[in-house]
Amino acid sequence: MNNFRLFSMFVRTFFLQSAWNFARMQNIGFSFVVEPSLKRIYPDAENLKDALRRHLEFFNTHPYLAGLMAAMTVRLEENAAQNDPSSRAAVYSRIVQLKERMCGPLAAIGDGCFWSGWRTTSALSAILAGGMVYLWIAAGQRDLYAMQYSRLAPFVPACCFLILYNAFSLPLRAAMVWAGYRWGESCAVEIARYPVQKGIAAIRRSSLFLLAAVVVCFAVGTVVVGRPDWLLAFTAFPVFVAALRRGISVSKIFYFTVAAIVLVRSAVRIFG
């Protein structure tokens, strides 16, 4: 399979959940992703129907990593088509087993990496960028140059989020397609060689640092000293990490921080 067909498969993964259903979830979308390749592998109409029917069974995994399984499936289907008809049944059964066994682990990796990891990091980075732009405009209210960009300030967080999030997720989604076809049946073994869990943990820690920077700088620093206090932001990060290591969840840290901000704001208004 050439790069053009792999790229076509990558594009089709964006429509994976277009026909999501409660009975078999992403099965129709998965069949849509692999259909052009199956047509090339099985010119005979009956063999093509059998192949599509195999992939209309239950399928559900993280949509960003589904390209890995689709490309792996195409590679195995190619291998099966080259075997004798009498030995194809065993290969087909193996394909179904691999899909069933890999759906859950890939979904867990994708959820941890993207939904609760990189998406949070991108959102906090966007909020931090938007806050800095707001402070720059507020500090230069009489500056004509700053006033000209004041109307664009609300769009800064949204643009930053889209750029940061897709700068990581899109290349990785494309790489999964090429990797799945190259690795074939050994996809699970190859993925196990990478420090996936360490990477997810690093992303979550960066989210914690950004949370500390956003909360401390723009909710406390601007009220107390009238400007971002970067020292407080950087000292808050190890405190948050220490709290995580003691078993305190991120949500509890967030709520405690918000409560502390409310108390600080109230104290400043009462005694300041």
Side-chain angles (χ1 to χ4, degrees), residues 9-18 33 63-64 170 173:
M9 187 183 300
F10 163 66
V11 173
R12 282 175 170 252
T13 58
F14 287 92
F15 305 95
L16 177 72
Q17 302 192 98
S18 299
V33 174
Y64 289 8
L170 288 180
R173 292 179 70 170

Side-chain angles (χ1 to χ4, degrees), residues 6 10 41 65 78 111 116 147 222 230 241:
L6 289 175
F10 163 66
I41 297 172
L65 303 180
E78 288 180 343
D111 290 345
S116 63
M147 292 300 294
T222 55
W230 297 107
V241 173

Side-chain angles (χ1 to χ4, degrees), residues 81-126:
Q82 295 174 359
N83 294 341
D84 295 332
S86 58
S87 61
R88 290 179 183 177
V91 181
Y92 295 152
S93 177
R94 179 62 176 167
I95 294 173
V96 174
Q97 291 178 359
L98 284 174
K99 287 175 60 180
E100 292 176 351
R101 293 175 182 177
M102 291 182 64
C103 278
L106 287 180
I109 292 173
D111 290 345
C113 181
F114 294 102
W115 292 166
S116 63
W118 187 246
R119 183 170 61 179
T120 304
T121 301
S122 301
L124 289 172
S125 300

Side-chain angles (χ1 to χ4, degrees), residues 122 125-127 129-130 152-167:
S122 301
S125 300
I127 294 172
L152 300 177
F155 300 98
V156 172
C159 293
C160 288
F161 172 78
L162 292 174
I163 292 172
L164 287 174
Y165 185 76
N166 291 302

Side-chain angles (χ1 to χ4, degrees), residues 1 14 29 84 116 125 160-161 176 181 187 197 264 268:
M1 181 178 290
F14 287 92
D84 295 332
S116 63
S125 300
C160 288
F161 172 78
M176 288 296 98
Y181 185 76
C187 278
Q197 295 302 325
V264 170
V268 170

Side-chain angles (χ1 to χ4, degrees), residues 65 68 102 105-106 109 176 179 183-200:
L65 303 180
L68 176 77
M102 291 182 64
L106 287 180
I109 292 173
M176 288 296 98
W183 292 339
E185 190 173 352
S186 62
C187 278
V189 177
E190 296 294 336
I191 292 175
R193 295 180 181 178
Y194 291 90
V196 177
Q197 295 302 325
K198 291 183 179 179
I200 295 174

Side-chain angles (χ1 to χ4, degrees), residues 128 208-219 230 233-234 236 240:
L128 187 63
L208 200 60
F209 168 76
L210 290 169
L211 175 63
V214 170
V215 170
V216 175
C217 290
F218 299 104
W230 297 107
F234 283 102
F240 285 5

